Amino acid sequence: MVREWTWGVRLAVVGVLLAMPTIVWPAWQLTFPGQPEFELSVWTWGRLEIRPGGPGGADSPELRMAAVPLVVHVLILFLASAATGVGMVRRGRHSQKLGLAGTAAGFVLVAKGVTERTAEAAHWGPGDGPSAPEVTTLPAGLGENAALVVLTGALVLLLGRSAVRVATPLWRQLSVRARADRDAEDAVGRGTGLGAGGIIVHGVRPVDSTPPHVSSPDEGVPFSDLPPDDDRFWPPKQA
């Protein structure tokens, strides 16, 4: 457990650090090669930079941003880095909880950014023709992708042993219950002469459902869906 925790929290620190560049640099870019009217750069936390004239345009870029998303993004990243750092250098239950919380917070933030960027890329492209828009993942976005992979591995190491301890008793309980239900069905089938799930349709007994006290399906109490035959009764009925 100590070994998995050590490697897990180290991976968590690396993953959070890989996501740090998204604070400063854009994660992806949208351009129109055939008609370079503008170039759009997008940050993970919501900042937009629109440069008229396409790449290398002389016009000054137009910025669109909000302060609250930036503050939340920076705060979560720095708190996650601090929490995972404490979990790496210190031992104890509280440090482990802090490191796990920091890893989970970083994972949620990075997964949100990657998911939104993937959805935007699927919306804009790929397209056909020379004027089709091109979506380019920038270095900060590539670092965010790597951070998602690393943080996923960190969570697996940090929670893997605990998840197994929780899932094993539950799996055993479900297996025992399923076995008990199956044995009960088999017992009912043996007692009635019908296998588990056996039924009689239109007065015809299944071939494999002969009662245990009858040597063959032809013996026992006859039954049929046909109307009664008067010649079977003795003495015969009086006219």
Side-chain angles (χ1 to χ4, degrees), residues 11-12 14 34 38-39 49 51 73 87 93 95-96 104-105 130 137 152 157 161 172 181-182 204 217 226 229 233 237:
L11 286 178
V14 174
F38 70 92
E39 176 188 76
E49 182 178 282
R51 184 179 297 275
H73 189 81
R93 185 174 300 273
S95 299
Q96 290 182 354
T137 302
T152 302
L157 290 175
R161 188 74 63 88
R172 289 177 179 173
D181 293 340
R182 189 165 53 250
V204 179
L226 299 176
D229 186 1
F233 297 97
K237 293 182 178 181

Side-chain angles (χ1 to χ4, degrees), residues 133-199:
E134 288 186 359
V135 178
T136 305
T137 302
L138 301 177
L142 296 176
E144 194 175 36
N145 293 342
L148 180 60
V149 175
V150 173
L151 288 172
T152 302
L155 284 177
V156 170
L157 290 175
L158 295 178
L159 296 176
R161 188 74 63 88
S162 299
V164 170
R165 283 201 301 265
V166 172
T168 300
L170 180 60
W171 175 257
R172 289 177 179 173
Q173 183 179 2
L174 293 176
S175 300
V176 170
R177 182 176 300 178
R179 190 181 301 111
D181 293 340
R182 189 165 53 250
D183 293 342
E185 291 178 0
D186 293 341
V188 171
R190 288 192 298 269
T192 59
L194 297 175
I199 57 175

Side-chain angles (χ1 to χ4, degrees), residues 74-99:
V74 173
L75 186 62
I76 292 177
L77 281 180
F78 276 96
L79 288 178
S81 63
T84 52
V86 171
M88 183 177 63
V89 300
R90 298 189 62 179
R91 295 290 183 267
R93 185 174 300 273
H94 295 293
S95 299
Q96 290 182 354
K97 291 181 179 180
L98 195 61

Side-chain angles (χ1 to χ4, degrees), residues 43-89:
W43 276 250
T44 296
W45 46 271
R47 174 180 173 177
L48 301 178
E49 182 178 282
I50 304 173
R51 184 179 297 275
D59 298 332
S60 59
E62 177 184 353
L63 300 179
R64 297 180 183 179
M65 59 177 293
V68 175
L70 173 61
V71 172
V72 172
H73 189 81
V74 173
L75 186 62
I76 292 177
L77 281 180
F78 276 96
L79 288 178
S81 63
T84 52
V86 171
M88 183 177 63
V89 300

